[in-house]
Amino acid sequence: MPGLVINILDLLTALLQASIVVVSIAKGYSRRYLTINLYLAASTIVLFSRYYILSQHGLLSAEYIYFYYYSDALLTIGLYFTLMGLYATVFAEMKAAQYLRVFTILLLIGTAAFTCAVVHQSGPRMITRYVVEMSQNLYFVGVVLTYVLWGAILKLRETRTRVIQLVLSLGVYFSAFAGNYALRNLYPQMHVVWEFVPPVLGCLLPLSWARAFWSVSEEARLAPSRLMAVPR
């Protein structure tokens, strides 16, 4: 039964993600939100690939375990670049794209180096441990960067409704995932509960993004008074 529930959530997630990409292409948003569409397309392919490998080799097979963790790490990196794409959108008028690219790469390299130092003494399974730790560390970095971006949105008085919804959804997602990792390490005996968290969160993020793309027009703006007042 737990496996069936997770498979249903994964299927819903894949359908939501694919529909967002289709709507973005149909409405001409694919270039404007390129990193989001690339991430959603890659995540959809990964979900179907995981199901195929699971059906062919089984849940406890080495093929499925390795594919799951390595694909998860790649998707986490993709989500990190998605966040940087939102940074570029918010700071577009300041022409800071070049500086953001340099900052993105340097921070990613720094996170990778820090993770390598942490797992250096892990023994023969160092690569597998590195992949898992890298994903966890990027989620914690994502939490910090998302709330820094939210602070910038308030400071710059960004009013584009869709951009605000995309950023807030990503902030909640990063925070929930980081919290899940922390609680998993503190209470490993509750592994039955923790295994449901990733598929649930994985479904909620594209659901919130779907609402932003389907029901919010590109021209929609929030009144400045609805955002927190920030002194200039």
Side-chain angles (χ1 to χ4, degrees):
M1 191 63 179
L4 177 61
V5 173
I6 291 175
N7 287 337
I8 292 173
L9 287 171
D10 285 345
L11 177 60
L12 289 174
T13 301
L15 293 176
L16 280 170
Q17 292 176 159
S19 65
I20 294 172
V21 175
V22 171
V23 170
S24 293
I25 293 174
K27 293 188 175 182
Y29 300 149
S30 54
R31 290 189 63 184
R32 190 173 304 166
Y33 301 101
L34 180 61
T35 53
I36 290 178
N37 283 284
L38 288 176
Y39 168 76
L40 292 174
S43 181
T44 302
I45 293 172
V46 165
L47 284 174
F48 282 117
S49 300
R50 284 178 182 173
Y51 181 78
Y52 174 77
I53 295 174
L54 176 64
S55 62
Q56 294 295 312
H57 301 282
L59 181 64
L60 300 179
S61 64
E63 290 84 355
Y64 179 76
I65 292 173
Y66 278 104
F67 183 82
Y68 180 90
Y69 284 109
Y70 280 82
S71 62
D72 184 67
L74 291 175
L75 288 178
T76 305
I77 294 173
L79 196 60
Y80 170 80
F81 281 104
T82 298
L83 175 59
M84 293 301 105
L86 290 172
Y87 261 90
T89 300
V90 172
F91 287 95
E93 295 183 359
M94 299 178 65
K95 301 186 184 303
Q98 182 177 355
Y99 300 104
L100 285 172
R101 292 191 192 100
V102 174
F103 173 76
T104 299
I105 299 299
L106 290 177
L107 186 58
L108 183 60
I109 292 174
T111 304
F114 172 79
T115 304
C116 185
V118 170
V119 302
H120 183 66
Q121 304 298 329
S122 296
R125 300 189 65 183
M126 177 179 172
I127 295 179
T128 304
R129 174 76 182 280
Y130 175 80
V131 169
V132 175
E133 290 289 337
M134 178 72 170
S135 296
Q136 294 185 15
N137 291 338
L138 278 177
Y139 275 112
F140 285 103
V141 170
V143 171
V144 176
L145 291 179
T146 306
Y147 287 103
V148 169
L149 179 57
W150 177 243
I153 286 175
L154 295 176
K155 184 68 176 178
L156 297 173
R157 301 298 178 91
E158 172 64 67
T159 59
R160 284 174 289 182
T161 306
R162 179 179 293 161
V163 172
I164 291 171
Q165 288 193 9
L166 292 173
V167 172
L168 286 177
S169 298
L170 195 54
V172 172
Y173 180 81
F174 272 128
S175 299
F177 244 108
N180 178 59
Y181 278 128
L183 291 173
R184 186 192 293 265
N185 292 329
L186 289 173
Y187 305 103
Q189 68 275 14
M190 298 177 62
H191 63 90
V192 176
V193 176
W194 309 134
E195 71 179 11
F196 281 97
V197 176
V200 170
L201 294 177
C203 188
L204 290 178
L205 179 63
L207 181 62
S208 62
W209 279 358
R211 183 181 180 279
F213 280 101
W214 296 347
S215 62
V216 178
S217 69
E218 186 66 21
E219 294 75 25
R221 297 291 187 272
L222 284 173
S225 60
R226 297 185 62 183
L227 297 176
M228 183 184 299
V230 177
R232 290 185 179 276

